[in-house]
Structures are given as C-alpha cells and as structure tokens.
Amino acid sequence: MSAPRTVDGPGFRIRFESLPGYLRAFVFDGTDSLAVSMAYWRMLGDECRATGATRLLVLEELQSTVDIADIHPLIEVMAEGGMASVRIAFVELLDDIAGSEYGEILCRERGITIRTFSGEDAARRWLLYGD
C-alpha cells in the first residue's frame, strides 16, 4: 500500500492509491469529453504499467458525458494503452450508466475485461473475486 497521490490531467484530476491486490483511481474535478476521457485512460494505462497493476478500480466523477458516437475512438485508445492486460472495474458515480455499459460491450469485443458499476463495494468485490 502507498499513500494516495493526486495528479493533474488536462481538465481533470486523478487520485491514485495502491491497495492490496489493485490500483484505485478516482477521476474527478472536471467535465467529461472525448479529449478528457482519452487523456485519463492514457494516464491510467501509464500508471498501470509503471506500478505493474493488473487490476484497476476506476471511480469517475466528472460532469457531463462522452457522446455515444465518440465511444469507438475512446475504446481504441484503451486498447492501444494496454488495457487488455488489466482487469477493470469502472464505477460511474454520476449519471451515465447506459453510455458506460455500451462502452463495456465494445471493450469486451476488443479483449478488454471491464465491468460497469454504480457503487464501489460491488465493483471491488467483482474486481478481486470475480463473478
């Protein structure tokens, strides 16, 4: 375990915390867009590679949402960033569960193991123990 650290991204912040068995990333303090989502997924991929994390819990608390039409390029960025080697639990803390679930389907088609949740407890259980 390590102390949480917060890094600034272009239009958002991420608080990283290494916990037993997984990396926790809280994405906050911004407004979502394709550019913001692409940037934070790149940062998440970089952090996973730097720390050797193979399990990632992402909590997203950004205003607005990415348009459905922009999800395909976002999934491409995730695939290029090596997210297929990481098990991801994605928690949508605000309101875009439907868009996140659509993204989950596209991720799975690209070999990325991800599941969308509306709460952290269920996400953590799935991340650590599976279905």
Side-chain angles (χ1 to χ4, degrees), residues 6-61:
T6 302
V7 296
D8 292 330
F12 60 90
R13 301 172 79 200
I14 303 177
R15 183 176 307 120
F16 290 108
E17 186 174 7
S18 290
L19 295 167
Y22 67 100
L23 176 65
R24 182 180 187 270
F26 175 48
V27 183
F28 66 104
D29 200 20
T31 300
D32 205 3
S33 67
L34 178 59
V36 164
S37 284
M38 291 172 93
Y40 84 67
W41 279 107
R42 284 185 182 113
M43 290 174 70
L44 295 175
D46 290 346
E47 188 72 13
C48 286
R49 282 189 300 283
T51 63
T54 58
R55 294 178 188 267
L56 174 65
L57 175 63
V58 180
L59 296 100
E60 185 199 83
E61 187 177 70

Side-chain angles (χ1 to χ4, degrees), residues 19 21 25 27 46 48 55 65 77 87 91 96 99 111 130-131:
L19 295 167
V27 183
D46 290 346
C48 286
R55 294 178 188 267
T65 187
V77 164
R87 182 177 175 93
V91 180
D96 188 35
D131 292 322

